[in-house]
C-alpha cells in the first residue's frame, strides 16, 4: 500500500538532546513537508522540500533542520536550540505542478515529549 | 497578513442534526481551498479540494462549497463517527511557493 510512514509514534527526550524524526513516503511525490501541531494553534509549517537536495524554511524553522537526500525520505532534526520542542509533528507529501499545490497526504504523526 | 479563520471553534450536534462549518480567508487570490478531517492523535485525512467560486463537492454526508471569500462544509444528518476536527487550508495565487495556510480547525462532536 502507498502512503507515508513516520517513526516513532511516541518519542521522549531529555532537554538539550537533539532528536531526529523519520518520514518516508512511497507515493512518488516530489514535495514533502513538516508541520508542528500544538493545541489551539493548528498546523504550522516548519520546512518543506519541492525536490531532492532542496528545501525551504517555513514559518517556524528556528531550532529545526532537515535534509532531502532521497525523494522518499525527509527526516527532521529537532535541535537543542528549539525552545519548546514538545509537540505533535506531522509529515506530509503532495504532487506539485506548474505552481499548483495538490492535496497533501499526511503521515500518522510523531508525538515528541522533551523533559 | 493572509489568514484563514474557521468557525465555530467547537460544535456539538445531536445525531441527525445537520449543520455547517465555516472557513473564511483573506488571501489576495485563491489557487485552491482544501478540507481535511483529523481524528485525535492521527494525521489529517484529505476530504475535498475546491478551486473556484461556485464549485461544490460531495462525499457521503459531507458537502463542501466555495464563494469568493469563504467555504462551507455542510454536514447532513451526522452520525457519531463524523466526530473529528475539520481543517481548512488555502493556497494563494502568486505565492511562488508550494505552501498551504491552515486554519485552526473546528472540533465537531456528534452525540448519539
Amino acid at each position: 500500500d502507498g502512503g507515508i510512514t513516520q517513526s516513532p509514534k511516541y518519542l521522549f527526550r531529555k532537554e538539550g538532546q537533539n532528536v531526529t524524526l523519520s518520514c518516508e513516503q512511497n507515493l512518488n511525490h516530489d514535495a514533502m513537508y513538516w508541520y508542528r501541531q500544538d493545541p489551539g494553534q493548528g498546523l504550522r509549517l516548519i520546512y518543506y522540500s519541492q525536490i531532492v537536495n532542496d528545501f525551504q524554511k517555513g514559518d517556524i524553522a528556528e531550532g529545526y533542520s532537515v535534509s532531502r537526500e532521497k525523494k522518499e525520505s525527509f527526516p527532521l532534526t529537532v535541535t537543542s536550540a528549539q525552545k519548546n520542542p514538545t509537540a505533535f509533528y506531522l509529515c506530509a507529501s503532495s504532487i506539485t505542478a506548474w505552481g499548483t499545490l495538490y492535496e497533501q497526504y499526511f503521515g500518522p504523526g510523531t508525538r515528541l515529549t522533551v523533559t | 497578513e493572509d489568514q484563514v479563520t474557521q468557525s465555530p471553534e467547537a460544535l456539538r450536534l445531536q445525531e441527525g442534526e445537520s449543520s455547517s462549518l465555516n472557513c473564511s480567508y483573506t488571501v489576495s487570490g485563491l489557487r485552491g481551498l482544501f478540507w481535511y478531517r483529523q481524528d485525535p492523535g492521527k494525521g489529517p485525512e484529505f476530504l475535498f479540494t475546491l478551486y473556484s467560486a461556485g464549485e461544490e463537492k460531495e462525499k457521503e454526508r459531507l458537502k463542501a462549497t466555495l464563494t469568493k471569500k469563504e467555504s462551507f462544509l455542510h454536514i447532513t444528518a451526522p452520525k457519531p463517527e463524523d466526530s473529528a476536527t475539520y481543517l481548512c487550508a488555502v493556497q494563494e495565487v502568486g505565492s511562488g511557493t508550494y505552501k498551504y495556510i491552515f486554519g485552526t480547525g473546528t472540533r465537531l462532536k456528534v452525540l448519539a
Side-chain angles (χ1 to χ4, degrees), chain B residues 49-66:
Chain B
T49 306
L50 302 167
Y51 289 110
S52 57
E55 189 174 0
E56 299 182 351
K57 296 270 181 77
E58 286 189 69
K59 180 180 180 180
E60 296 181 354
R61 295 176 293 281
L62 300 177
K63 179 180 178 180
T65 61
L66 181 65

Side-chain angles (χ1 to χ4, degrees), chain A residues 28-49:
Chain A
N28 200 34
H29 289 168
D30 286 314
M32 297 188 73
Y33 309 79
W34 275 106
Y35 291 93
R36 170 181 173 143
Q37 188 173 37
D38 296 283
Q41 295 198 43
L43 273 66
R44 293 185 290 168
L45 183 64
I46 304 172
Y47 269 98
Y48 64 105
S49 169

Side-chain angles (χ1 to χ4, degrees), chain A residues 58-80:
Chain A
D59 301 317
I60 55 165
E62 184 176 351
Y64 300 97
S65 66
V66 294
S67 63
R68 185 86 187 276
E69 297 176 1
K70 298 187 301 181
K71 187 176 185 178
E72 301 78 19
S73 179
F74 192 40
L76 173 74
T77 297
V78 184
T79 75
S80 57

Side-chain angles (χ1 to χ4, degrees), chain B:
Chain B
E1 182 180 334
D2 297 331
Q3 280 196 332
V4 176
T5 304
Q6 292 189 245
S7 61
E9 289 187 9
L11 181 62
R12 291 166 67 91
L13 299 173
Q14 292 294 324
E15 184 173 4
E17 179 185 2
S18 301
S19 188
S20 296
L21 314 182
N22 177 262
C23 171
S24 62
Y25 54 91
T26 58
V27 298
S28 57
L30 182 71
R31 186 179 291 277
L33 185 141
F34 306 82
W35 282 98
Y36 292 85
R37 169 193 169 125
Q38 185 176 25
D39 293 303
K42 296 187 177 181
E45 174 190 348
F46 170 72
L47 293 174
F48 304 109
T49 306
L50 302 167
Y51 289 110
S52 57
E55 189 174 0
E56 299 182 351
K57 296 270 181 77
E58 286 189 69
K59 180 180 180 180
E60 296 181 354
R61 295 176 293 281
L62 300 177
K63 179 180 178 180
T65 61
L66 181 65
T67 70
K68 288 187 176 180
K69 285 300 178 185
E70 60 188 349
S71 176
F72 292 93
L73 184 65
H74 307 278
I75 303 176
T76 302
K79 298 182 178 182
E81 52 263 41
D82 294 321
S83 298
T85 295
Y86 291 86
L87 300 171
C88 166
V90 302
Q91 187 194 17
E92 183 181 16
V93 170
S95 65
T97 59
Y98 294 104
K99 289 172 57 177
Y100 280 156
I101 304 170
F102 273 90
T104 55
T106 294
R107 296 188 311 277
L108 173 65
K109 178 71 172 177
V110 181
L111 304 172

Side-chain angles (χ1 to χ4, degrees), chain A:
Chain A
D1 291 333
I4 300 179
T5 57
Q6 291 184 243
S7 61
K9 186 171 177 65
Y10 298 96
L11 190 54
F12 298 88
R13 281 293 183 269
K14 294 290 188 183
E15 191 172 326
Q17 293 179 335
N18 291 355
V19 60
T20 297
L21 281 59
S22 169
C23 177
E24 302 278 334
Q25 56 101 358
N26 62 3
L27 299 169
N28 200 34
H29 289 168
D30 286 314
M32 297 188 73
Y33 309 79
W34 275 106
Y35 291 93
R36 170 181 173 143
Q37 188 173 37
D38 296 283
Q41 295 198 43
L43 273 66
R44 293 185 290 168
L45 183 64
I46 304 172
Y47 269 98
Y48 64 105
S49 169
Q50 297 173 209
I51 196 169
V52 173
N53 292 323
D54 187 47
F55 48 84
Q56 286 80 41
K57 293 182 179 180
D59 301 317
I60 55 165
E62 184 176 351
Y64 300 97
S65 66
V66 294
S67 63
R68 185 86 187 276
E69 297 176 1
K70 298 187 301 181
K71 187 176 185 178
E72 301 78 19
S73 179
F74 192 40
L76 173 74
T77 297
V78 184
T79 75
S80 57
Q82 169 51 231
K83 295 180 180 178
N84 185 20
T86 294
F88 188 50
Y89 290 88
L90 288 161
C91 179
S93 71
S94 72
I95 297 170
T96 59
W98 299 105
T100 296
L101 175 65
Y102 293 88
E103 65 271 14
Q104 293 184 328
Y105 292 87
F106 285 83
T110 292
R111 187 165 299 280
L112 173 64
T113 302
V114 178
T115 58

